[in-house]
Amino acid sequence: MSSDKSTPQPEVHEYQAEMQKLLDILVHSLYTEREIFLRELLSNSADALSKVQFLALTSADQLLNPDASLQIELSFDEDKQTITIEDTGCGMTREELIENLGTIASSGTLKFLREAQQSKQAVQNLIGQFGVGFYAVFMVADKVELITRSWGPDSQAWSWNSSGSGQYELAPASKEGRGTKIVLHLKDEAKEFCNEYRLKSIVSKYSNYVPHPIQLKGETINKVTAIWTQSKEEVSQKDYEEFYKQISYDHQPALQHLHLSIDAPIQYYALLYIPQKITNEVLYAREGKGLALYAQKVLIQPQHNGLLPPYLRFVQGVVDSEDLPLNVSRESVQQNALVERIKKSLTTRLLKELQTLADNNSESYNKFWGEFGVLLKEGVSADFGNRRKLMDLLRFNSSLSEGATADVSLKDYVSRMRDEQKEIYYIVGPSRESLQHHPNLEYFRKQSLEVLFLHDHIDDFLMNELRDYDGKAFKSISQADIDVPDPVEDTSQMSTERREVLLHKIKQQLGDRIKDVIASKRLVDSPCSLVNPQENMSAHMERMMKMVNEEYQISKRNLEVNLKHPILQNLAKLTEENPKSEFFGQAVEQLFRSAMLVEGLLDNPTELLPDLYNFMEAATAHQLTS
Ligand code: ADP
């Protein structure tokens, strides 16, 4: 390397402790995809070139050798077993070198370390995701020499050398123009990469759409095109897939892409992708990775979060607008009114695309829903303007679904409603299984009235937002004031007086643990059930409240009893014949606790047992005496 011989001894820097750990993981893990080291270096070079492109617009007069063409040169030497990558990008100052290649700067890296330690086999997927790219060189090289000169007019060149074990050396160097040159001394077991065919095929696999020319032996070996500015006819399915792979590092192809070329009222191109799977990053972060924002093919910001609403944060891709002023600063682009308009337009287009997918390919849409549905539910409360469109995209599991998939749209539901049915029925609970056997469902099942099953953690919030669909109000079947089309006939033949006494005695037994005891119009087979006086939260919600706050007091419910049921018939007789019967109280306790159990509101299900044993004792004794 051309470092100046007259320079003083190089400074030796120790790596940060975490950095050493990171290198150990990278060097000693078994990689099936060592070749990605090249992708990482090329994309660093490409980023450095894009930065120069941007600087040329904003600070042209300060740029070192402004006429140097923006390109990456790749070469190799079979005898010396070296690969060299040289770019005319922005280069690095001494401080930047230490910051970028000697310390763990991003929180992503620490996260990478933690995850890598847990899942050894997934390291190569993690590398791209967490931007620890540069260090991937130590998978193939046992020595790396880097020489770089920053873009400013008076910059000094520096060399950086390391063998990836513990320390690196920094020394002043001489270098003609701006940019960075990296020489990799390949390990013996990596010499396969010193091969023209191999290098070309890696470039076409991972770096075909790098937006700057990659030269090998004087020939440009990547496509360089800004694929998003081409017409759809010019781009093949394979091109779309490759581009996605390159921007996302996703190992699976995208579920769907959307290629837009819009002229009015604003001009923009967009190439957007919906991945097949949701990642934890997307699920738990408030913001996604963002879209790359270009102005006339010049990268303005690699990860712009303002181009889509947060609930569409799973979408990846690029946006390029000719209307965006080229010299817009990265800060001001954040608040740019044009960006706001592009966002509105992109959102509409994406929702429309999803609706088309739902209409034409329900299998594919159901897959999408399974992964990203929770985010669209988030959208219902966040994006008032698009609420109706989002509601059409919602999918639910229901009492009529055959399996556990959420495959019922609100449109389906409404089209199946019985003529006399006025409301859309739903029930909230922890799982489909628990809801299927809920006593409150009996009536609806018997009457073939469809009930939506809601068991996502955000469904309670969702239902608070949804008022009606096509003029049909949403109604929880756990509510006390439900108005069913065909109330269950009272065939109990219980006199009004007997009924009043029974209800009164039950209420007396349960005291202030319940709000009221009511003769049910909806129970079919079960003896009783708890329902919500209207203002209360769902049991599901209350369980969650209790999880976060142990002190939380579950609100009081109504106990509905089924007067036709033999248990209630017998209890009515019993209390008439033997008003002081202890057994009556025990039986009522059991009924109440079972109803609490069904709702999942019993703090500790084993507390059922002592009373249950008392109860059985009484029942068995009775068997003996009768
Ligand atoms: P990432 O690219 O994800 O930030 P890397 O470890 O690959 O992580 O690189 C760390 C940083 O080093 C880059 O963000 C960039 O600032 C700097 N860098 C790496 N390669 C170059 C290059 N060829 N030219 C200029 N800067 C570079």
Side-chain angles (χ1 to χ4, degrees):
M1 198 152 229
S2 61
S3 57
D4 198 331
K5 293 281 184 296
S6 68
T7 52
Q9 283 290 306
E11 320 162 14
V12 177
H13 293 245
E14 298 287 324
Y15 282 124
Q16 237 185 335
E18 289 92 346
M19 174 65 82
Q20 192 51 51
K21 218 188 280 171
L22 170 66
L23 288 170
D24 287 345
I25 291 176
L26 291 177
V27 177
H28 299 296
S29 306
L30 285 175
Y31 291 100
T32 51
E33 291 180 53
R34 290 188 302 176
E35 62 194 27
I36 58 133
F37 80 92
L38 191 59
R39 169 186 76 187
E40 299 301 323
L41 294 181
L42 291 173
S43 75
N44 281 347
S45 286
D47 291 347
L49 288 166
S50 294
K51 204 162 156 195
V52 166
Q53 215 172 18
F54 182 76
L55 288 165
L57 298 165
T58 49
S59 345
D61 46 335
Q62 293 162 45
L63 202 61
L64 185 67
N65 54 322
D67 299 328
S69 65
L70 297 174
Q71 61 172 42
I72 304 167
E73 209 168 299
L74 181 60
S75 57
F76 61 95
D77 185 324
E78 275 173 284
D79 297 333
K80 292 190 188 141
Q81 275 192 43
T82 57
I83 293 178
T84 303
I85 293 130
E86 184 164 10
D87 65 63
T88 49
C90 61
M92 283 174 273
T93 61
R94 178 179 178 276
E95 290 66 39
E96 285 168 342
L97 267 176
I98 296 174
E99 167 94 13
N100 294 334
L101 303 184
T103 42
I104 303 242
S106 73
S107 57
T109 313
L110 290 172
K111 217 165 147 199
F112 166 85
L113 281 176
R114 258 178 265 126
E115 300 205 6
Q117 274 159 353
Q118 281 163 16
S119 62
K120 288 237 156 46
Q121 81 284 16
V123 176
Q124 67 260 30
N125 301 0
L126 297 174
I127 289 175
Q129 205 179 325
F130 292 122
V132 292
F134 178 81
Y135 310 100
V137 292
F138 292 109
M139 302 186 311
V140 296
D142 47 22
K143 187 171 159 204
V144 175
E145 295 177 299
L146 178 147
I147 186 162
T148 184
R149 187 165 170 201
S150 179
W151 59 278
D154 308 316
S155 64
Q156 157 76 55
W158 284 87
S159 76
W160 179 102
N161 296 338
S162 177
S163 59
S165 55
Q167 45 187 228
Y168 61 93
E169 292 174 2
L170 266 189
S174 65
K175 183 180 185 307
E176 278 272 307
R178 56 150 211 266
T180 304
K181 177 177 175 181
I182 301 174
V183 181
L184 311 181
H185 294 262
L186 295 178
K187 297 177 183 176
D188 272 346
E189 69 266 25
K191 60 177 181 229
E192 57 181 280
F193 294 109
C194 250
N195 173 295
E196 181 176 346
Y197 175 77
R198 187 71 200 272
L199 291 174
K200 278 185 177 167
S201 76
I202 301 174
V203 168
S204 88
K205 184 166 170 194
Y206 298 104
S207 310
N208 227 352
Y209 295 97
V210 161
H212 304 282
I214 302 170
Q215 307 257 331
L216 179 65
K217 291 189 170 166
E219 182 197 348
T220 301
I221 58 169
N222 61 327
K223 289 200 174 165
V224 198
T225 44
I227 178 174
W228 56 90
T229 62
Q230 294 182 294
S231 72
K232 285 184 199 174
E233 293 71 37
E234 287 174 279
V235 187
S236 69
Q237 181 60 27
K238 186 162 165 276
D239 294 335
Y240 282 126
E241 284 178 16
E242 276 184 10
F243 183 68
Y244 173 66
K245 200 166 176 181
Q246 199 183 299
I247 60 166
S248 68
Y249 293 174
D250 193 342
H251 282 234
Q252 288 173 295
L255 181 76
Q256 186 85 358
H257 73 256
L258 178 61
H259 189 172
L260 300 169
S261 169
I262 309 289
D263 288 319
I266 358 152
Q267 190 288 333
Y268 73 86
Y269 301 101
L271 179 50
L272 306 180
Y273 292 87
I274 299 170
Q276 289 197 34
K277 294 259 178 259
I278 194 165
T279 59
N280 282 344
E281 264 67 46
V282 167
L283 188 58
Y284 299 118
R286 280 301 300 144
E287 293 188 323
K289 200 164 98 172
L291 303 177
L293 178 63
Y294 289 77
Q296 299 167 43
K297 299 191 197 176
V298 176
L299 183 64
I300 303 293
Q301 203 174 333
Q303 303 185 330
H304 192 295
N305 265 311
L307 290 161
L308 287 174
Y311 70 90
L312 294 177
R313 58 187 178 271
F314 54 91
V315 176
Q316 305 210 25
V318 303
V319 174
D320 190 338
S321 174
E322 284 172 9
D323 294 342
L324 209 58
L326 265 175
N327 57 1
V328 63
S329 77
R330 290 179 193 212
E331 293 70 42
S332 69
V333 82
Q334 216 57 40
Q335 294 112 33
N336 194 288
L338 198 81
V339 167
E340 213 31 61
R341 286 164 68 195
I342 295 179
K343 171 180 168 182
K344 206 165 167 214
S345 166
L346 284 177
T347 307
T348 314
R349 300 277 171 166
L350 269 166
L351 296 183
K352 195 163 154 224
E353 179 75 6
L354 288 172
Q355 189 59 53
T356 310
L357 181 67
D359 293 340
N360 300 338
N361 186 346
S362 56
E363 194 186 330
S364 203
Y365 185 75
N366 287 346
K367 248 193 231 164
F368 162 81
W369 178 260
E371 293 289 318
F372 301 104
V374 59
L375 296 185
L376 295 198
K377 288 179 181 175
E378 192 181 309
V380 168
S381 41
D383 188 352
F384 196 77
N386 286 307
R387 176 166 291 187
R388 170 62 201 221
K389 290 189 188 112
L390 284 159
M391 281 176 81
D392 280 323
L393 291 169
L394 296 176
R395 292 293 178 272
F396 300 91
N397 191 246
S398 90
S399 54
L400 298 189
S401 301
E402 299 209 336
T405 25
D407 51 5
V408 179
S409 70
L410 291 174
K411 200 167 152 209
D412 296 336
Y413 184 99
V414 169
S415 72
R416 293 196 283 252
M417 276 169 80
R418 280 175 38 179
D419 289 344
E420 66 279 28
Q421 186 183 344
K422 293 189 211 69
E423 293 167 319
I424 298 174
Y425 299 121
Y426 70 90
I427 181 166
V428 184
S431 66
R432 172 177 160 88
E433 291 66 39
S434 69
L435 293 176
Q436 265 179 320
H437 300 112
H438 201 291
N440 286 347
L441 195 65
E442 287 169 0
Y443 165 83
F444 297 87
R445 197 182 289 272
K446 186 142 187 225
Q447 298 281 336
S448 305
L449 287 164
E450 184 167 16
V451 177
L452 300 177
F453 287 164
L454 299 177
H455 43 73
D456 240 357
H457 64 282
I458 77 163
D459 283 340
D460 268 298
F461 302 102
L462 177 71
M463 295 325 281
N464 280 337
E465 294 288 337
L466 299 181
R467 291 279 161 266
D468 64 290
Y469 179 84
D470 273 359
K472 314 274 191 291
F474 288 92
K475 185 79 188 173
S476 161
I477 63 163
S478 301
Q479 278 178 356
D481 65 341
I482 199 146
D483 188 13
V484 291
D486 280 310
V488 176
E489 249 178 86
D490 181 6
T491 52
S492 66
Q493 295 178 331
M494 214 181 265
S495 70
T496 316
E497 197 197 337
R498 185 183 255 194
R499 184 177 70 206
E500 291 312 315
V501 171
L502 176 67
L503 298 181
H504 176 74
K505 295 273 291 201
I506 295 175
K507 182 146 202 293
Q508 222 173 17
Q509 173 66 35
L510 295 174
D512 63 2
R513 285 175 286 168
I514 50 159
K515 195 154 183 193
D516 209 351
V517 181
I518 290 175
S520 179
K521 294 193 182 74
R522 58 177 142 189
L523 288 172
V524 181
D525 301 317
S526 297
C528 67
S529 157
L530 287 167
V531 297
N532 244 343
Q534 206 176 10
E535 69 275 16
N536 287 7
M537 283 186 269
S538 78
H540 187 52
M541 183 76 172
E542 293 210 75
R543 267 195 309 276
M544 292 200 291
M545 297 288 286
K546 205 158 167 76
M547 270 183 333
V548 278
N549 176 11
E550 273 187 29
E551 308 282 281
Y552 179 82
Q553 289 292 322
I554 300 285
S555 50
K556 287 180 203 166
R557 288 173 160 62
N558 287 348
L559 184 72
E560 280 199 4
V561 292
N562 177 0
L563 296 179
K564 303 184 304 305
H565 196 283
I567 296 181
L568 279 300
Q569 296 265 330
N570 292 344
L571 286 177
K573 259 188 239 155
L574 178 64
T575 186
E576 261 171 23
E577 286 168 15
N578 180 3
K580 296 226 155 65
S581 156
E582 260 184 49
F583 183 82
F584 181 89
Q586 289 173 2
V588 169
E589 288 296 332
Q590 277 315 307
L591 285 174
F592 175 66
R593 300 246 170 113
S594 323
M596 289 283 280
L597 187 70
V598 168
E599 295 293 322
L601 291 174
L602 217 51
D603 283 342
N604 176 6
T606 52
E607 80 191 41
L608 271 175
L609 292 178
D611 286 342
L612 182 63
Y613 294 147
N614 284 342
F615 181 68
M616 285 175 70
E617 189 181 321
T620 45
H622 179 73
Q623 289 290 326
L624 291 176
T625 54
S626 62

